[in-house]
Amino acid sequence: MKKLLSLILAVSLLLTGSALADELRLKYLDPSLYPVAEGAELDIWCGQDGNVANYEVNPQTAALEELTGVKINWTTAPGTQEDMNVMFNLHIASGNYPDMYLNTLSTADIIEYANDVFIPLNDYIENTRWIKEYLEAMPEIREAITAPDGNIYSLWHALPEAGEKDSNANPYKLWIYQPWLEASGMDMPETVDEFRELLRYFRDHDMNGNGDPNDEIPMLGSFAFDHDGSDPTYAIMQAFQLTPSNFLWVDEEHNVSCVAITDDFREGLSYLNSMYEEGLIAEDIYALTLNEYRDIVNVTKQEDQVVGIAAAPYWMRFVTVSIFGERAYDEFTYMPVLKRDENTPAQTYTRKSGISLNGVVTTACEDPQLAIDWLDACLDPEINRVTNLGNEGDYWTRVSEEGELPIVSKAVPGADLKDGGSVNEHCYGNWVFPAIPSSYYDFAYEEGSAEQKSDQVQRAANREYAAAGVGDYMPASVWCTDSDLLTEMADLQTNIENAISTAYAEFILGRRDVDDDAEWEEYKQSLEDLGLSRYLEVVYEVNFGS
């Protein structure tokens, strides 16, 4: 990205009698945005993050007022998100609307209050600097926040990581213990059959050299987080059938089908069952909690290592460095996405991350453009870094050039925004404003450090899995206010997903014979009896219906 002029604004806060920090130093990239409007005021209702100082006295409030010229009159709602939602609904019911609500909203909220309470923001967004740019940088934001009538009534809150930073888009990753791979003399497996051969080797040899040839677990995970990447069987299943967590697939024409009744899914189950029969899939996968799974992987010495392959979307899901040690980043690495055979390309499911709604302007606002312009000015990447990380120099240092994007930061060792306490008394944190795309910032680590190794390997894994990733056309956000239809969908979804997950485990463990045609037909009929056909109709209607 091009460099823009970077100016520094140091703002001294005079908070008499307050223990809060007395200065927040803000920078910005586009000087034409400031001040927004000298002497203006806005009334904002916002959920209060219990981990930061109240927004009324938070140093960032005075810093932003000095910079933008706009005084904010805060009404805050403390507690959990559920508490905030209750207070939000009560506040709406009072009819005493502020200029803006900064609170997490549902699509149902938007549809219910559109035009009567929340105004369309499309025209005002067109006049912004950063909001408009972020919508162009991540088109999926615009898709998620645009209501069925084509209007944007709300901005967004959290955003998924971008590109190689996103560890969750392709959750079905496998991690291999490299000393065992090297000891086997085998190459890194690329197909499911090659992988199977490697697991056999782990099973049949004293890989940890402790004299016990029977304590090795070739592959381990936890069914408790099956669709979040912790069940290794789903990583293998991808080679046969791409498998979303809801077992549904939506094609480009919006046809909704169930992947759990396909011939490919059945073949994958048959393959997994044969692996289980060989002792290559541990039955413990279906009993272990996530913590119990990690307890088995986490050992302090190589001779205690018993797991050869672990399943997880990212490091901390399977290894705890404080226990295993920093050697984890040298001894474990990601495996490639497995192919069904040499002639079949690697594939793995890519899931969409939902984008939550946050930030509406109400019919009570006399100057909606002012409200959006103020929010836009607060979303400058430089201000975002201070909002989330605190003062540059105190809590982080800049690695990138001044005024350059992305802003690359490195944490100051030992610095803590909570100063050893329970509350951040320096800045807002990530609760108040919409997040900015992660392509506008990055983090750096000391050369050769464990943190750098962890980051480099994780990003490499994310890149490789993303390259083989395939997604469907199921929308990330649902715009439907038909409560009866939504209730019906939820009930059907619970029953059908539970039935499929149960059968999935039973077929792999041989409790049911997946190779028996009568057994397979009985399984499919059981889903139909639970309402599968109706479920597919309802999912279509909720997501694509009128």
Side-chain angles (χ1 to χ4, degrees):
M1 295 184 180
K2 64 182 181 180
K3 294 185 178 182
L4 300 172
L5 176 63
S6 179
L7 300 178
I8 299 177
L9 178 74
V11 182
S12 296
L13 311 180
L14 302 178
L15 300 175
T16 305
S18 171
L20 301 181
D22 62 0
E23 182 179 326
L24 196 70
R25 302 186 295 274
L26 299 179
K27 295 181 179 181
Y28 50 87
L29 292 172
D30 190 345
S32 68
L33 301 182
Y34 311 97
V36 176
E38 290 286 7
E41 294 190 19
L42 288 171
D43 296 331
I44 296 180
W45 189 102
C46 183
Q48 172 66 53
D49 183 354
N51 295 304
V52 304
N54 187 281
Y55 307 138
E56 291 183 283
V57 296
N58 192 297
Q60 185 156 357
T61 295
L64 288 173
E65 182 177 339
E66 180 73 16
L67 173 63
T68 66
V70 180
K71 182 180 186 301
I72 302 301
N73 302 310
W74 292 99
T75 298
T76 58
T80 65
Q81 184 63 62
E82 184 177 356
D83 295 332
M84 295 173 194
N85 292 342
V86 170
M87 287 184 274
F88 165 76
N89 289 327
L90 291 173
H91 202 270
I92 285 275
S94 74
N96 186 24
Y97 311 139
D99 294 305
M100 299 179 71
Y101 283 105
L102 297 179
N103 186 56
T104 300
L105 303 168
S106 68
T107 54
D109 290 327
I110 301 301
I111 293 176
E112 181 175 357
Y113 299 122
N115 298 307
D116 293 331
V117 182
F118 306 154
I119 66 171
L121 304 178
N122 306 52
D123 293 341
Y124 306 114
I125 288 173
E126 285 303 308
N127 298 322
T128 61
R129 166 69 170 85
W130 294 110
I131 295 173
K132 183 178 179 181
E133 181 171 319
Y134 297 151
L135 291 176
E136 293 171 352
M138 287 186 70
E140 57 267 41
I141 304 178
R142 184 181 293 274
E143 177 186 349
I145 66 177
T146 300
D149 65 2
N151 284 321
I152 294 174
Y153 295 94
S154 171
L155 298 182
W156 63 92
H157 194 205
L159 294 175
E161 295 281 7
E164 66 180 24
K165 299 180 190 178
D166 191 350
S167 301
N168 292 301
N170 304 105
Y172 302 127
K173 297 185 182 76
L174 295 175
W175 302 80
I176 188 168
Y177 189 61
Q178 294 189 95
W180 287 15
L181 175 63
E182 294 165 2
S184 74
M186 297 182 178
D187 294 330
M188 181 72 81
E190 296 182 356
T191 67
V192 291
D193 285 344
E194 291 171 354
F195 181 55
R196 187 173 188 154
E197 282 299 318
L198 180 64
L199 293 180
R200 286 169 177 158
Y201 191 95
F202 290 171
R203 178 197 63 192
D204 297 337
H205 293 79
D206 182 16
M207 301 306 301
N208 53 26
N210 66 357
D212 182 357
N214 300 312
D215 66 347
E216 282 75 13
I217 304 173
M219 179 174 66
L220 194 63
S222 171
F223 193 66
F225 283 73
D226 51 349
H227 291 294
D228 208 24
S230 293
D231 181 350
T233 66
Y234 277 103
I236 301 168
M237 175 59 82
Q238 302 310 297
F240 297 87
Q241 173 66 64
L242 293 166
T243 313
S245 60
N246 60 6
F247 302 104
L248 301 180
W249 194 265
V250 177
D251 65 18
E252 193 168 1
E253 284 73 41
H254 297 164
N255 297 306
V256 184
S257 60
C258 177
V259 303
I261 57 175
T262 66
D263 291 341
D264 287 335
F265 190 76
R266 183 185 184 186
E267 185 175 346
L269 287 173
S270 179
Y271 193 89
L272 290 166
N273 170 250
S274 66
M275 292 180 67
Y276 169 74
E277 294 294 339
E278 284 192 56
L280 304 179
I281 295 176
E283 190 167 344
D284 286 345
I285 288 171
Y286 300 97
L288 295 173
T289 66
L290 183 62
N291 286 334
E292 289 169 340
Y293 160 43
R294 278 194 293 237
D295 287 344
I296 296 172
V297 176
N298 282 301
V299 294
T300 58
K301 304 186 296 292
Q302 282 194 357
E303 57 267 31
D304 294 332
Q305 183 72 30
V306 296
V307 177
I309 304 291
Y314 44 80
W315 289 107
M316 64 178 290
R317 181 59 63 79
F318 75 97
V319 68
T320 306
V321 177
S322 61
I323 300 173
F324 195 96
E326 294 180 355
R327 63 188 176 88
Y329 306 130
D330 294 314
E331 296 178 9
F332 274 104
T333 193
Y334 64 94
M335 284 185 55
V337 180
L338 293 172
K339 298 186 291 186
R340 193 168 184 167
D341 54 52
E342 292 180 356
N343 300 316
T344 305
Q347 63 176 21
T348 187
Y349 175 63
T350 296
R351 66 183 179 187
K352 295 184 179 75
S353 296
I355 295 174
S356 57
L357 303 174
N358 181 37
V360 295
V361 178
T362 75
T363 53
C365 183
E366 296 180 357
D367 191 345
Q369 191 66 63
L370 167 66
I372 291 299
D373 287 348
W374 176 82
L375 199 53
D376 185 59
C378 295
L379 294 181
D380 182 292
E382 290 280 359
I383 294 177
N384 171 271
R385 292 298 77 200
V386 176
T387 298
N388 285 273
L389 305 178
N391 276 332
E392 180 180 356
D394 297 338
Y395 297 95
W396 59 281
T397 57
R398 188 182 301 260
V399 176
S400 53
E401 294 294 324
E402 195 78 36
E404 183 180 55
L405 293 173
I407 300 169
V408 183
S409 62
K410 182 187 294 185
V412 173
D416 175 16
L417 275 172
K418 294 183 179 179
D419 300 320
S422 60
V423 175
N424 165 13
E425 296 182 339
H426 303 278
C427 51
Y428 288 162
N430 62 5
W431 195 284
V432 176
F433 299 130
I436 71 172
S438 62
S439 57
Y440 285 75
Y441 62 88
D442 210 338
F443 300 97
Y445 306 95
E446 291 296 331
E447 188 68 30
S449 66
E451 292 82 3
Q452 185 190 53
K453 292 178 184 177
S454 169
D455 184 63
Q456 288 176 342
V457 175
Q458 183 69 61
R459 290 188 186 220
N462 296 343
R463 284 195 300 271
E464 180 152 341
Y465 278 71
V470 181
D472 71 341
Y473 289 84
M474 182 74 79
S477 300
V478 175
W479 294 87
C480 178
T481 56
D482 188 330
S483 58
D484 292 337
L485 201 62
L486 290 170
T487 299
E488 183 182 8
M489 185 178 75
D491 291 342
L492 288 167
Q493 179 177 6
T494 298
N495 293 333
I496 290 171
E497 286 185 10
N498 286 343
I500 294 173
S501 294
T502 299
Y504 181 87
E506 290 175 340
F507 281 131
I508 292 174
L509 298 177
R511 309 292 192 268
R512 301 172 71 174
D513 187 357
V514 69
D515 296 319
D516 182 276
D517 290 342
E519 187 84 40
W520 182 251
E521 290 302 318
E522 181 182 334
Y523 156 70
K524 292 197 296 182
Q525 185 59 49
S526 70
L527 297 181
E528 193 58 42
D529 292 343
L530 288 171
L532 178 58
S533 293
R534 173 57 183 162
Y535 178 45
L536 300 181
E537 293 173 357
V538 171
V539 169
Y540 174 85
E541 188 62 31
V542 165
N543 287 279
F544 308 108
S546 58

